[in-house]
Amino acid sequence: MNILITGGAGYIGSHVLKALLERAADKITVIDNFYSGSQDALVALESVGKFDFIKCDLADTAHLKEIFASHKFDAIIHFAAYIEVFESMQNPLKYYLNNTANTANLINLAVEFGVEKFIFSSTAATYGEPKDGVVCENSPQNPINPYGTSKLMSEQILKDAAAANSKFKYGILRYFNVAGASSDSLIGQNYPNATHLIKVATQTITGKRANMSIFGRDYDTKDGTCIRDYIHIEDLASAHLAVLDYLNSNDSDIFNVGYGHGFSVLEVINTAKKISGVDFEVIDAPRRLGDPAVLIADSSKLRNLTSWKPKKDNLKTIIASALAWEKKI
Ligand code: UFG
């Protein structure tokens, strides 16, 4: 297949690029504007396989059109997006313009140029604060921040585009809490301002932060801290390949991507301390706005319908890979 990856220099995009290069079955073009993507990741991945890179901003429609006109893409895997929940509440238009308007534009080009498959990075944030902590793909979607809404709107645009164009199929992947780095420590999360729990913990272990906070210990959970479904980045990456293959002989569909069980913030922190042998300082802080108490994927659809076989469903493995990477950078 001739595949376009948008945001291929980013955290998730670069791991999917690596997985595709390892299977060596496709011709790949990556675009990225390096807003949060890393040039180093692309350089590192040159040792894995061959791909073309074009620096391009999704807002540059003329440039995008040129790229579509000069390649005959069979599939697009669309990662490029803004991902900070808190920032989306302060600057919603930034999120709607990039995550929704630019995505609509990309979908429009995909349809115009006859691209048949579109894999979209969506998020558990589209579910908002579910009543039951375990969500399946048809659970109600009531996002509570513009980030989640911007992704939900793109999901709708994809559904409408596919309904109106019989040759255009989508695979929507709703990610849960992605963490860790590649097992060979070749690539990982490069974004220094990341706010994610496991990244922050490894930054604290390695002394890049003096301490870290627990945002709320008064939730209605076993130890009072929030519970999330942490998934290893390599298992998340392989889900994209499985869904891409699934679309060869199936219709458009939506998949939760998580393991189906969760860990509390305290469990993550205690595991990080145990693995590293570093008893880092942890401060009790107030709840963070918009954090649901429990968010766990029912991922049985992905497991049952596609060839996806998770291999790293182990909190220690996830944290150890994140830590090995953090020590390297
Ligand atoms: N947390 C802390 N301290 C920190 C960082 C996080 O206590 O320093 C807590 C949060 O309050 C939350 C849990 O750890 O309870 C996980 O927080 P993350 O920031 O790691 O992840 P989120 O669950 O907030 O966000 C993730 C994705 C988002 C997506 C969301 C869907 O990163 O992109 O899941 O719920 F929108």
Side-chain angles (χ1 to χ4, degrees), residues 83 85 123-125 147 176-177 195-198 200 212-215 226 228 230 265 288 291-292 295:
I83 59 159
V85 170
T123 168
Y147 166 67
F176 283 66
N177 287 63
T195 54
H196 296 147
L197 179 65
I198 291 178
V200 170
M212 67 174 290
S213 300
I214 292 181
F215 299 134
C226 290
R228 295 288 182 275
Y230 296 93
V265 172
R288 198 172 63 175
D291 277 346
L295 197 55

Side-chain angles (χ1 to χ4, degrees), residues 36-313:
S36 56
S38 149
Q39 211 148 358
D40 292 347
L42 293 184
V43 171
L45 288 172
E46 282 168 6
S47 66
V48 181
K50 196 178 153 323
F51 60 94
D52 291 333
F53 173 72
I54 302 167
K55 185 161 187 234
C56 176
D57 193 299
L58 276 190
D60 188 346
T61 311
H63 191 189
L64 268 183
K65 201 162 183 167
E66 267 172 37
I67 295 170
F68 274 82
S70 56
H71 296 72
K72 172 91 188 73
F73 296 122
D74 304 300
I76 297 177
I77 312 182
H78 176 40
F79 298 102
Y82 298 135
I83 59 159
E84 299 289 334
V85 170
F86 185 63
E87 183 190 51
S88 81
M89 298 198 275
Q90 297 169 309
N91 194 354
L93 271 306
K94 175 174 173 175
Y95 280 70
Y96 292 123
L97 285 171
N98 192 33
N99 295 4
T100 312
N102 288 343
T103 295
N105 192 37
L106 186 72
I107 296 167
N108 184 42
L109 286 173
V111 171
E112 183 183 334
F113 285 89
V115 179
E116 291 185 354
K117 295 183 201 166
F118 196 106
I119 307 288
F120 179 61
S121 299
S122 191
T123 168
T126 60
Y127 293 114
E129 290 184 297
K131 280 199 194 77
D132 178 6
V134 182
V135 290
C136 61
E137 288 80 359
N138 50 18
S139 294
Q141 286 178 288
N142 296 304
I144 54 166
N145 49 62
Y147 166 67
T149 310
S150 71
K151 289 283 185 174
L152 183 58
M153 288 162 82
S154 295
E155 287 194 5
Q156 188 60 49
I157 295 167
L158 273 173
K159 288 179 192 170
D160 292 344
N165 296 279
S166 56
K167 283 197 170 155
F168 180 74
K169 292 184 194 176
Y170 62 80
I172 292 172
L173 275 64
R174 295 192 188 132
Y175 306 154
F176 283 66
N177 287 63
V178 189
S182 69
S183 314
D184 54 9
S185 292
L186 186 69
I187 52 172
Q189 197 165 354
N190 261 322
Y191 195 43
N193 301 326
T195 54
H196 296 147
L197 179 65
I198 291 178
K199 174 79 178 177
V200 170
T202 58
Q203 287 177 325
T204 315
I205 291 167
T206 50
K208 294 172 193 171
R209 291 177 190 247
N211 52 49
M212 67 174 290
S213 300
I214 292 181
F215 299 134
R217 296 185 72 135
D218 57 349
Y219 286 94
D220 185 16
T221 59
K222 54 188 171 185
D223 61 21
T225 66
C226 290
I227 295 177
R228 295 288 182 275
D229 189 338
Y230 296 93
I231 174 167
H232 193 288
I233 182 72
E234 290 183 331
D235 282 338
L236 182 92
S238 69
H240 293 75
L241 278 61
V243 172
L244 204 53
D245 292 345
Y246 172 85
L247 291 181
N248 286 335
S249 43
N250 294 282
D251 281 341
S252 299
D253 219 331
I254 301 175
F255 299 95
N256 281 342
V257 195
Y259 290 137
H261 54 82
F263 293 97
S264 73
V265 172
L266 215 48
E267 285 172 328
V268 170
I269 289 175
N270 288 338
T271 307
K273 285 186 174 182
K274 205 178 275 174
I275 285 176
S276 62
V278 180
D279 186 16
F280 53 87
E281 187 187 0
V282 179
I283 297 165
D284 284 341
R287 287 184 177 198
R288 198 172 63 175
L289 205 66
D291 277 346
V294 180
L295 197 55
I296 295 173
D298 176 337
S299 54
S300 46
K301 192 171 164 187
L302 182 66
R303 289 173 196 266
N304 295 339
L305 296 187
T306 76
S307 59
W308 187 60
K309 297 267 174 298
K311 295 185 179 140
K312 310 262 161 146
D313 180 0

